[in-house]
Amino acid sequence: MKKIVASIVLMAFTTLLICNAQETKAKVEKKKAKTEQVQKKAVKKSVEQKAKTEKTQAVSKAKAEKGKAVETGKAKAEKTKSAVKTKAEGEKTKAMTKGKAEKTEAVSKAKKTTVKFTKPAEKPAAGDKIIPGKKGPEGQPVYSGPKGGQYYINKNGNKTYLKK
């Protein structure tokens, strides 16, 4: 009897292994397609990276050659003309930023002078007592209610109960 049970268990185990070990053609094709996509993306990235490095090398080479070249009178004139133009643009941006700074300063002053209307502060109930020596988070007095709850009046004028 033990041999029969052991052989049945062994057969079930081997069939499980065989079923799980075999892959269908569809699974193999999906894996192959995924690996091909990953490879294509990697090749594309490397080509893009190579193009970027070649472009930056060409730009830096051109800049180096331009710096080494002897300036002629015409080139000097163009250079001074562009320098004057950039200086004018710089002054224009300074003026614009100064105007923006003044505007933001005026807005902040206006915000400071605005009046906030808040509802009147709640008053503690007639039977509530102040707990001596205990303060709220912003230094407010803490009150004790008739059932033993403790609260303070927050800056908005509402009762805020403290956790025990």
Side-chain angles (χ1 to χ4, degrees):
M1 183 71 175
K2 288 183 181 179
K3 288 182 182 180
I4 295 172
V5 172
S7 64
I8 291 173
V9 169
L10 184 62
M11 284 175 39
F13 183 70
T14 53
T15 53
L16 260 172
L17 285 176
I18 291 170
C19 290
N20 288 336
Q22 294 178 350
E23 290 187 12
T24 63
K25 287 184 181 181
K27 285 184 182 178
V28 171
E29 289 176 6
K30 281 184 182 179
K31 283 185 180 180
K32 190 175 180 182
K34 282 185 180 180
T35 56
E36 287 176 358
Q37 285 178 348
V38 170
Q39 288 174 348
K40 284 180 183 178
K41 284 182 182 178
V43 168
K44 188 177 180 182
K45 273 189 175 181
S46 65
V47 168
E48 288 174 355
Q49 188 67 23
K50 188 175 179 183
K52 282 183 181 179
T53 56
E54 288 175 354
K55 185 177 180 181
T56 55
Q57 287 175 351
V59 169
S60 63
K61 188 176 179 182
K63 284 183 180 179
E65 288 176 3
K66 186 178 179 182
K68 290 180 183 177
V70 178
E71 292 183 353
T72 61
K74 197 179 220 184
K76 285 182 181 179
E78 287 178 11
K79 189 175 181 181
T80 55
K81 186 178 179 182
S82 65
V84 168
K85 187 177 180 180
T86 54
K87 187 176 180 182
E89 288 175 355
E91 290 175 1
K92 184 178 177 182
T93 55
K94 279 184 185 178
M96 288 174 61
T97 55
K98 186 178 179 183
K100 286 181 181 178
E102 290 173 354
K103 185 177 180 180
T104 55
E105 188 176 313
V107 169
S108 65
K109 283 182 181 178
K111 285 182 181 177
K112 287 179 184 176
T113 58
T114 58
V115 178
K116 285 188 175 180
F117 293 101
T118 58
K119 67 179 189 177
E122 263 187 52
K123 295 182 180 176
D128 297 349
K129 297 180 182 178
I130 295 177
I131 300 172
K134 194 161 188 179
K135 298 284 182 183
E138 297 174 4
Q140 307 93 331
V142 176
Y143 299 93
S144 175
K147 294 183 181 178
Q150 297 178 351
Y151 65 91
Y152 63 93
I153 309 294
N154 64 17
K155 64 182 178 183
N156 294 334
N158 300 325
K159 290 181 182 178
T160 305
Y161 286 87
L162 301 172
K163 295 179 180 178
K164 291 184 178 181

